[in-house]
Amino acid sequence: MAAQPTELPLQDDERLLVRAGELVERGWCRNGLAQDRFGRQVEPWSRTASRWSPLGALLRAWYECDWNRVDAFGAAYLALSLATGGRVADWNAAPWRTKWHVMSAFGRARENLSGARMQSPPPIDESSPPIESEDRPADRPTGGCRVTARTANLTREGHSDRR
């Protein structure tokens, strides 16, 4: 009997890309991050979301995960950016773009991960205190994911820290 090939566990960044691809396979939108079943724009993590853009799906996948690895999100986003020519939202919004193109981009992104990992920032040292931003109000909590300049002020909930 031939030996079954053992599947290696996916790294966190690849798990994000796989989950994001599953979401887009379920429902894809060309404009905005996510849409509900009526075509209205909603937050990608909304329970009413039924269609996602590639970036919206990646944000939703990150929102769903039980860890807050900014470095994994960064590598997955960089790999997806490389697969789409650099501007994921603009690439997705092209009028001739199809779901097939988007699914192919997720496949290319997985192939780009090793290079993206080398270019993405190193993991955040959880033992060090979060970097405080001058733009953050003093009473605003920093919970969830630590905000750094490298993550473009993106919090765990996907909102910009800048107003």
Side-chain angles (χ1 to χ4, degrees):
M1 190 160 117
Q4 294 286 341
T6 5
E7 287 189 34
L8 296 173
L10 299 178
Q11 291 189 27
D12 292 340
D13 47 16
E14 191 167 9
R15 287 183 16 217
L16 287 174
L17 287 172
V18 168
R19 176 63 180 143
E22 292 170 352
L23 290 167
V24 169
E25 182 64 37
R26 202 167 88 195
W28 168 68
C29 66
R30 180 174 284 119
N31 297 304
L33 292 174
Q35 296 176 351
D36 65 12
R37 64 187 180 119
F38 301 108
R40 297 178 295 211
Q41 290 191 12
V42 296
E43 301 291 353
W45 46 86
S46 169
R47 284 181 282 148
T48 62
S50 61
R51 294 184 291 249
W52 295 266
S53 70
L55 180 55
L58 193 58
L59 286 167
R60 170 69 178 256
W62 191 44
Y63 179 79
E64 290 175 347
C65 70
D66 57 352
W67 39 264
N68 58 1
R69 299 255 329 267
V70 177
D71 57 312
F73 178 85
Y77 177 74
L78 180 56
L80 188 58
S81 294
L82 292 170
T84 59
R87 298 183 62 114
V88 179
D90 292 342
W91 177 88
N92 186 61
W96 50 268
R97 187 75 55 216
T98 66
K99 186 177 183 179
W100 182 88
H101 294 121
V102 176
M103 296 309 298
S104 296
F106 276 108
R108 289 191 307 276
R110 288 180 71 186
E111 294 170 4
N112 292 337
L113 269 175
S114 61
R117 286 177 188 132
M118 288 191 271
Q119 295 180 41
S120 66
I124 295 171
D125 179 6
E126 293 294 328
S127 64
S128 63
I131 298 171
E132 292 299 323
S133 168
E134 294 174 10
D135 297 335
R136 178 183 295 122
D139 61 341
R140 184 167 177 174
T142 60
C145 185
R146 298 178 194 269
V147 179
T148 69
R150 288 189 203 124
T151 59
N153 296 313
L154 192 66
T155 64
R156 171 78 163 115
E157 289 75 39
H159 301 285
S160 173
D161 208 30
R162 295 202 169 152
R163 295 192 183 241

